[in-house]
């Protein structure tokens, strides 16, 4: 799945993003504006973090299909950063004061999908069992949301830098919910525009989404019958606002500051 603006690629090709000398793996990068770790620097915007974490280099090669242990790692990091009371995971909603003992699984029905690496899109999700129109396809059991830019930066600093770059590719923002990222295979569902206005420069093929969000139930359901072997596709622009990152103090994609 690709959610990062095409401006990131343009900036990289134009030489506007350089490799940082900061040791991001140490999680203790100093910056000019603060004496603490880089995530505390409020001037650190989206593109500055992209530069700092060397995401351009990370995406020069195909990213892997993550296993259960990687998903469990990033989920545990999220709960560790925001705390169990603030976690938006579905598993936390029943017992708000207990960290779930099981960080495994995903929002799909068992055995209903598989993830493949493709030449055109990289990682993609395909149905292995049929979904009928209106049927639930995916649940946001492991959707991690952030209400402020500082917490989002802290989460990125708490995980390996290559996984932080993955989060950049998957995360989305909106005025009503802040910033969210689906920490399971749902993040690998690719985009397909439902309208001409929602088309993105990096779209591949003239296809339409087969998953949408039901307005009454807020569930991710099949918009049409989906057969085994079909790629699952959703219109990113139906739930995300590219300008909402600025409301979190994180700037916008394509703008690079001189922050190390």
């Amino acid at each position: 799945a690709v959610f990062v603006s095409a401006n990131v690629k343009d900036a990289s090709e134009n030489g506007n993003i350089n490799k940082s000398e900061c040791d991001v793996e140490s999680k203790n990068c100093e910056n000019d504006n603060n004496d603490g770790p880089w995530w505390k620097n409020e001037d650190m915007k989206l593109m500055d973090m992209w530069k700092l974490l060397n995401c351009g280099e990370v995406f020069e090669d195909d990213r892997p299909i993550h296993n259960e242990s990687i998903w469990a790692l990033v989920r545990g990091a999220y709960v560790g950063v925001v705390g169990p009371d603030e976690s938006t995971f579905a598993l936390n909603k029943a017992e708000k004061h207990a960290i779930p003992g099981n960080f495994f699984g995903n929002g799909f029905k068992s055995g209903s999908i598989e993830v493949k690496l493709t030449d055109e899109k990289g990682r993609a999700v395909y149905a292995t069992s049929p979904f009928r129109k209106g049927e639930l396809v995916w649940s946001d059991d492991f959707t991690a949301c952030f209400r402020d830019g500082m917490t989002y930066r802290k989460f990125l600093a708490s995980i390996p830098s290559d996984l932080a770059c993955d989060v950049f590719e998957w995360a989305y923002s909106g005025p009503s919910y802040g910033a969210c990222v689906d920490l399971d295979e749902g993040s690998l569902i690719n985009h397909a525009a439902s309208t001409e206005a929602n088309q993105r420069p990096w779209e591949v093929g003239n296809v339409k989404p087969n998953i949408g969000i039901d307005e009454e139930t807020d569930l991710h359901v099949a918009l049409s019958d989906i057969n085994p072997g079909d790629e699952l596709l959703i219109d990113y622009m139906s739930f995300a606002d590219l300008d909402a990152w600025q409301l979190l103090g994180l700037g916008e994609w394509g703008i690079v500051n001189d922050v190390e």
Side-chain angles (χ1 to χ4, degrees), residues 23-250:
D23 180 13
V24 295
E25 296 297 345
S26 72
K27 309 303 181 190
N28 288 311
C29 302
E30 300 292 328
N31 59 70
D32 294 337
N33 297 327
N34 292 294
D35 293 329
W38 63 263
W39 58 265
K40 289 187 176 181
N41 185 351
E42 294 183 357
D43 292 329
M44 186 72 70
K45 309 301 184 184
L46 292 169
M47 288 298 294
D48 303 314
M49 291 185 284
W50 176 276
K51 170 186 173 183
L52 178 68
L53 298 171
N54 299 323
C55 292
E57 292 185 8
V58 169
F59 288 116
E60 286 179 357
D61 298 318
D62 288 337
R63 296 292 296 140
I65 297 172
H66 296 314
N67 58 29
E68 290 276 13
S69 63
I70 295 297
W71 291 120
L73 184 153
V74 293
R75 293 166 189 169
Y78 167 68
V79 174
V81 167
V82 303
D85 288 348
E86 297 300 320
S87 168
T88 52
F89 288 165
L91 292 174
N92 277 47
K93 294 175 183 176
E95 299 181 20
K96 290 293 289 184
H97 298 290
I99 297 177
N102 180 16
F103 278 135
F104 294 93
N106 57 43
F108 295 97
K109 183 174 64 176
S110 178
S112 64
I113 61 100
E114 64 177 332
V115 179
K116 299 180 183 179
L117 283 175
T118 68
D119 292 335
E120 293 182 324
K121 300 181 181 181
R123 294 169 288 196
V125 181
Y126 291 84
T128 56
S129 62
F131 296 96
R132 296 304 166 222
K133 182 177 180 179
E135 183 179 348
L136 176 67
V137 176
W138 175 81
S139 300
D140 57 355
D141 294 345
F142 292 106
T143 296
C145 294
F146 306 84
R147 287 293 182 178
D148 60 82
M150 183 75 75
T151 308
Y152 182 63
R153 286 194 297 269
K154 185 177 182 180
F155 169 67
L156 294 172
S158 73
I159 59 179
S161 57
D162 63 319
L163 297 180
C165 293
D166 274 337
V167 169
F168 279 141
E169 192 174 51
W170 304 332
Y172 48 94
S173 61
S176 64
Y177 55 79
C180 294
V181 57
D182 306 320
L183 297 180
D184 73 351
E185 287 81 357
S187 61
L188 305 179
I189 298 174
N190 284 307
H191 169 74
S194 56
T195 66
E196 184 176 350
N198 288 355
Q199 289 183 344
R200 313 310 299 166
W202 33 260
E203 278 193 62
V204 176
N206 185 24
V207 293
K208 295 296 182 183
N210 51 18
I211 302 174
I213 302 175
D214 187 283
E215 294 182 0
E216 294 184 1
T217 65
D218 205 31
L219 298 175
H220 292 72
V221 301
L223 297 177
S224 58
D225 288 349
I226 300 173
N227 298 312
D230 289 348
E231 183 184 0
L232 303 185
L233 299 165
I234 192 169
D235 188 341
Y236 293 170
M237 299 301 109
S238 66
F239 57 86
D241 182 346
L242 291 176
D243 294 330
W245 292 105
Q246 299 182 61
L247 302 177
L248 299 174
L250 292 171

